[in-house]
Amino acid sequence: MSNVKNLAKKAKIAARTLSVLDTEAKNSALEAIASQLLADKETILQANGKDLDNGKKMGLSPSLLDRLALTSARIDGMVEGIKQVVELEDPVGQVMETWQRPNGLEIAKVRVPMGVIGMVYEARPNVTVDTCALCLKAGSAVVLRGSSSALNSNRALVSAIKKGLAKTAIPEDTVQFVDSEDRGAVDEMLRLNGLLDLVIPRGGAGLIRRVVENATVPVIETGVGNCHVYVDVDADPGMALEILLNAKCQRYGVCNAAESLLVHEGIAANWLPGAVQELNTRGVEIRGCSKVVEILSGVKKAEDSDWATEFLSPVLAIKVVKDFQDALDHIQQYSSGHSESIVTNNQNTAAEFLRQVDAAAVYHNASTRFTDGFEYGFGAEIGISTQKLHARGPMGLRELTSYKYVVKGTGQVRP
Amino acid sequence: MSNVKNLAKKAKIAARTLSVLDTEAKNSALEAIASQLLADKETILQANGKDLDNGKKMGLSPSLLDRLALTSARIDGMVEGIKQVVELEDPVGQVMETWQRPNGLEIAKVRVPMGVIGMVYEARPNVTVDTCALCLKAGSAVVLRGSSSALNSNRALVSAIKKGLAKTAIPEDTVQFVDSEDRGAVDEMLRLNGLLDLVIPRGGAGLIRRVVENATVPVIETGVGNCHVYVDVDADPGMALEILLNAKCQRYGVCNAAESLLVHEGIAANWLPGAVQELNTRGVEIRGCSKVVEILSGVKKAEDSDWATEFLSPVLAIKVVKDFQDALDHIQQYSSGHSESIVTNNQNTAAEFLRQVDAAAVYHNASTRFTDGFEYGFGAEIGISTQKLHARGPMGLRELTSYKYVVKGTGQVRP
């Protein structure tokens, strides 16, 4: 048996023990992990130092090196994150619905753990700790495969996690780490039907595509966000500007940032010049449709591909639309189904936007940047789903669970 | 653009119109389909006649020919099925939850259509009609790919469905039929990410494996059921016999039929001989563990592979277990996670079984045969999921939907 398959088998066996532990047992195991991470801080930082050295030799960009870097404070942050997960309500065992059938059968729909969750992720070592905390609290074992650039850091973090678990009711085997730089190990992991119940990719578009294309186990696709802000003719101009600047500029490299602005032509000539001036001040490059170029000389003309691009950088595509329907059509054509926002004081227009736009999150008079597990009050987030199956938008603990039907009878048979 | 991709594109565009139709518009379109099927009965039966002739020439088995055959009464049955779907509650637009955040944002989680659903299925032409009715009522367009043995029948049914839709608010393009015997068309369909939101396979294990292995769009795996009945030491002997006979013999070729019987050794010597006699009367072949062979001379010894086999026929594997834990271990090892039943009057044992067994449906003192959308009161069923992602067990209208977050603000931006 290959190494990866063997790890997954161990995880599946351990998951059975984990699945029936009560909340207290799971919480005290999480506390033990937190303590061990603090106790092993020096070892973890040393391991991270090796990764940083290797990364510099490999010529990683400063921003990638920053994402890779651990500090004492960042480890404290991970520990803080675990403590927050301890505080969260345990979804396992929650009764979602109950009903009785005419034949007397009593049916309950009950939340249960997913089983074994595979996580394939890039760069940031904190994902290792966050994922373990969330999956364990949700009652599932986890098979982790991080990027090779963080191999030493992840190895040290997993070692601390397992040392922590060794003293608790959660079996060490519930956390498995694919300790290999071989890409073939990922492909094998993605095809472990019967052992993995779910794989979640977290990283860039390339990683996510690779996982979606190669997996035969169920996948939740995450992350790609080509989000729009639509400023309607009935928008409050000041509010529209604030929402736009927040959605575009509060952070550039995130999936819930705006990539395109749509402006109703009835407000464009008055509102757009001031808005673009503010964007320019912040260093945002504009790519406009022909009408934008007419209104604002010197603005670069957008290519067709710009409307479909998740820039993840200080670039914004702007289009003047002739009416609400034109805005809807554009969004329907180019949206990645992540987060879409309308700014308007017209309640009817807003209602139609919220009803007709097909995205994980639709906003009226608020920034797209709110699509986030913490901002929604889930207390945590393992990723943002951009597919419609199982979970859509921010995924917290509950979205990491499945359910089963528990049926009680008194000897009923089917006629 | 290939033909299959073109069909899916048309479906996606039409799905947008369908997604915002109200219940009344959808119901009257379903009524129109029902009327058209009745009006086109002769044409449909003629087309089916061609398939039956071809099937006979190809040497299809009598049971496959029976599954393929349509009669006036079977078409009436399809129409009756559509009328039942009309009566079902529309899940689209249901508000699942609402809450307010400290910053004043109001969040609602609202059920929305899946979008475009692909269905890959075998043999029975009624699946064509059932699938259309369920998907359309759930607000989704559908791309159908039936088996080549039913090509003429399916073509005639889809033609009637589209003629019915032509007079209604639901666009004809919401129903697409892959009118091809080319297997490559299925493989292409399974990789239409961005156009298909979900593919559901319905058919034998081979078809399901093929879909799971080749799809890059999200799949819901259905159908395989290696189900157990466990007769505990504290079982009522009469009830245990009734449940076993129902679970095994009421229908052999279905996924929720029992394939293995586990008997506690404390009850085996007394109870098993009578039970096996009843099974023999019904023509069921027994394959027993060494203890069963000891108790009952003449019983065939089970091979290891028998414990893992979904016989779908009058064959039952029987194992004597030494205690409850032994039963749990066996089920955990061999269960396909479909339906598992315990017969016992011991409430504690029952509670542990219901808690620890990991299956879509777990039963206490009831037959596994109840795992079914109609028996659960869903009013319909598009299949029985055997995976944990999205839906588990019987899938009705609600399981064919997704959700979105509708967020209302007053100008909130993220700090």
Side-chain angles (χ1 to χ4, degrees), chain A residues 330-399:
Chain A
H330 182 95
I331 290 173
Q332 210 70 31
Q333 184 174 358
Y334 293 106
S335 166
S336 63
H338 191 298
S339 301
E340 304 295 344
S341 178
I342 184 173
V343 187
T344 187
N345 286 331
N346 184 319
Q347 295 301 319
N348 293 333
T349 311
E352 279 309 303
F353 184 92
L354 297 175
R355 196 168 75 100
Q356 291 195 45
V357 172
D358 182 23
V362 285
Y363 292 89
H364 174 210
N365 289 348
S367 168
T368 55
R369 288 279 293 119
F370 284 110
T371 306
D372 174 280
F374 294 92
E375 294 294 334
Y376 277 23
F378 298 167
E381 177 187 289
I382 199 147
I384 295 178
S385 163
T386 50
Q387 69 181 38
K388 292 193 201 164
L389 202 71
H390 185 73
R392 207 172 183 199
M395 292 186 289
L397 277 183
R398 213 164 57 173
E399 286 71 27

Side-chain angles (χ1 to χ4, degrees), chain B residues 282-324:
Chain B
R282 286 162 178 78
V284 176
E285 177 192 332
I286 309 296
R287 303 191 187 167
C289 71
S290 50
K291 284 199 182 152
V292 171
V293 174
E294 264 176 54
I295 299 171
L296 295 153
S297 59
V299 162
K300 190 176 162 188
K301 181 89 164 53
E303 314 266 329
D304 272 0
S305 61
D306 286 325
W307 310 118
T309 301
E310 188 187 20
F311 299 110
L312 295 171
S313 65
V315 178
L316 181 70
I318 306 184
K319 182 178 169 157
V320 173
V321 294
K322 66 174 198 291
D323 54 19
F324 173 66

Side-chain angles (χ1 to χ4, degrees), chain A residues 12 16 19-22 97 99 101 103 105 107 109 112-116 191 193 197-198 212-221 239 242-243 246 250-251 256 325 328-329 332-333 353-367 369-372 374-378 387-394 398-399 401-415, chain B residues 12 16 19-22 97 99 101 103 105 107 109 112-116 191 193 197-198 212-221 239 242-243 246 250-251 256 325 328-329 332-333 353-367 369-372 374-378 387-394 398-399 401-415:
Chain A
K12 188 175 178 176
R16 190 178 159 191
S19 70
V20 293
L21 290 181
D22 63 19
E97 277 177 85
W99 66 100
R101 296 293 299 152
N103 61 6
L105 282 182
I107 306 182
K109 188 175 176 182
V112 298
M114 192 62 78
V116 184
R191 305 182 77 85
N193 297 63
D197 295 286
L198 166 64
V212 167
E213 283 184 0
N214 290 290
T216 53
V217 299
V219 171
I220 294 185
E221 204 172 333
M239 186 194 290
E242 263 202 85
I243 288 174
N246 188 259
Q250 198 236 0
R251 261 180 88 184
N256 55 16
Q325 187 60 46
L328 278 187
D329 289 342
Q332 210 70 31
Q333 184 174 358
F353 184 92
L354 297 175
R355 196 168 75 100
Q356 291 195 45
V357 172
D358 182 23
V362 285
Y363 292 89
H364 174 210
N365 289 348
S367 168
R369 288 279 293 119
F370 284 110
T371 306
D372 174 280
F374 294 92
E375 294 294 334
Y376 277 23
F378 298 167
Q387 69 181 38
K388 292 193 201 164
L389 202 71
H390 185 73
R392 207 172 183 199
R398 213 164 57 173
E399 286 71 27
T401 63
S402 180
Y403 59 81
K404 70 179 173 187
Y405 293 103
V406 174
V407 185
K408 295 181 185 172
T410 51
Q412 282 86 346
V413 297
R414 195 161 158 186
Chain B
K12 188 174 179 176
R16 189 177 160 191
S19 71
V20 293
L21 290 181
D22 62 20
E97 278 177 84
W99 66 99
R101 296 293 300 153
N103 61 7
L105 282 182
I107 306 183
K109 188 175 176 182
V112 298
M114 193 62 77
V116 183
R191 303 183 78 85
N193 297 62
D197 295 286
L198 166 64
V212 167
E213 283 184 0
N214 290 289
T216 53
V217 299
V219 171
I220 293 186
E221 205 172 333
M239 186 194 287
E242 264 202 84
I243 287 173
N246 188 258
Q250 199 236 359
R251 261 179 89 184
N256 54 17
Q325 188 59 45
L328 278 186
D329 290 342
Q332 211 70 32
Q333 185 174 356
F353 185 92
L354 297 175
R355 195 169 74 101
Q356 291 195 45
V357 171
D358 182 24
V362 286
Y363 293 89
H364 174 211
N365 290 348
S367 169
R369 289 278 293 119
F370 285 110
T371 306
D372 174 279
F374 294 92
E375 293 295 333
Y376 277 23
F378 299 167
Q387 69 180 39
K388 292 192 202 165
L389 201 70
H390 184 73
R392 206 173 184 198
R398 214 166 55 173
E399 287 71 29
T401 63
S402 181
Y403 59 81
K404 70 179 174 188
Y405 292 103
V406 174
V407 186
K408 296 180 185 172
T410 49
Q412 283 86 344
V413 297
R414 196 160 157 185

Side-chain angles (χ1 to χ4, degrees), chain A residues 35-109:
Chain A
S35 304
Q36 196 65 48
L37 285 170
L38 291 177
D40 288 2
K41 203 183 252 188
E42 273 315 308
T43 320
I44 294 165
L45 290 174
Q46 276 169 27
N48 184 246
K50 275 195 228 169
D51 285 334
L52 290 172
D53 287 347
N54 292 340
K56 279 171 205 155
K57 277 181 215 147
M58 302 275 289
L60 287 191
S61 70
S63 77
L64 278 180
L65 286 171
D66 177 59
R67 285 160 66 94
L68 180 56
L70 291 179
T71 60
S72 177
R74 284 187 176 182
I75 295 174
D76 291 346
M78 292 178 192
V79 167
E80 191 43 48
I82 296 176
K83 305 222 159 165
Q84 284 171 14
V85 174
V86 168
E87 296 304 316
L88 295 179
E89 201 181 350
D90 186 348
V92 174
Q94 285 177 351
V95 177
M96 302 160 73
E97 277 177 85
T98 58
W99 66 100
Q100 197 181 39
R101 296 293 299 152
N103 61 6
L105 282 182
E106 282 176 23
I107 306 182
K109 188 175 176 182

Side-chain angles (χ1 to χ4, degrees), chain B residues 11-286:
Chain B
K12 188 174 179 176
I13 292 165
R16 189 177 160 191
T17 305
L18 170 57
S19 71
V20 293
L21 290 181
D22 62 20
T23 308
E24 208 181 301
K26 290 188 282 190
N27 283 346
S28 60
L30 291 178
E31 299 277 8
I33 292 173
S35 304
Q36 195 66 49
L37 286 170
L38 292 177
D40 289 1
K41 203 183 252 189
E42 273 315 306
T43 320
I44 295 165
L45 289 175
Q46 276 169 26
N48 185 245
K50 276 194 227 169
D51 285 333
L52 289 172
D53 287 347
N54 292 341
K56 279 171 203 152
K57 277 181 214 148
M58 302 274 291
L60 286 191
S61 70
S63 76
L64 277 180
L65 286 171
D66 177 58
R67 287 160 64 94
L68 180 56
L70 291 179
T71 60
S72 177
R74 283 188 177 180
I75 294 175
D76 291 346
M78 292 178 192
V79 167
E80 191 44 49
I82 295 176
K83 304 222 159 162
Q84 283 170 15
V85 174
V86 168
E87 296 304 317
L88 294 179
E89 201 182 349
D90 185 347
V92 175
Q94 284 176 353
V95 176
M96 303 159 73
E97 278 177 84
T98 57
W99 66 99
Q100 196 180 42
R101 296 293 300 153
N103 61 7
L105 282 182
E106 283 176 23
I107 306 183
K109 188 175 176 182
V110 180
R111 274 193 222 287
V112 298
M114 193 62 77
V116 183
I117 298 173
M119 187 66 139
V120 179
Y121 56 105
E122 286 175 334
R124 280 193 287 181
N126 67 304
V127 175
T128 306
V129 175
D130 294 353
T131 301
C132 284
L134 286 167
C135 290
L136 295 181
K137 178 83 181 230
S140 281
V142 64
V143 177
L144 300 161
R145 160 69 193 216
S147 74
S148 49
S149 64
L151 190 62
N152 292 293
S153 313
N154 287 335
R155 192 184 283 150
L157 289 167
V158 170
S159 163
I161 291 167
K162 282 175 163 279
K163 263 161 75 187
L165 288 179
K167 309 160 193 163
T168 75
I170 297 187
E172 277 181 70
D173 272 346
T174 51
V175 176
Q176 298 292 341
F177 177 58
V178 179
D179 193 346
S180 152
E181 301 192 55
D182 175 18
R183 282 196 139 200
V186 181
D187 289 337
E188 199 191 337
M189 184 176 157
L190 298 177
R191 303 183 78 85
L192 291 176
N193 297 62
L195 292 177
L196 295 190
D197 295 286
L198 166 64
V199 167
I200 304 175
R202 264 184 81 172
L207 173 83
I208 290 165
R209 200 177 321 115
R210 190 182 152 87
V211 169
V212 167
E213 283 184 0
N214 290 289
T216 53
V217 299
V219 171
I220 293 186
E221 205 172 333
T222 64
V224 176
N226 186 24
C227 308
H228 300 76
V229 171
Y230 166 55
V231 177
D232 185 48
V233 66
D234 296 321
D236 175 293
M239 186 194 287
L241 182 60
E242 264 202 84
I243 287 173
L244 170 67
L245 293 176
N246 188 258
K248 181 66 228 175
C249 308
Q250 199 236 359
R251 261 179 89 184
Y252 292 111
V254 290
C255 58
N256 54 17
E259 306 293 6
S260 281
L261 166 69
L262 305 176
V263 189
H264 192 288
E265 68 175 3
I267 198 175
N270 279 330
W271 181 80
L272 205 48
V276 166
Q277 198 177 348
E278 290 289 338
L279 290 163
N280 284 339
T281 310
R282 286 162 178 78
V284 176
E285 177 192 332
I286 309 296

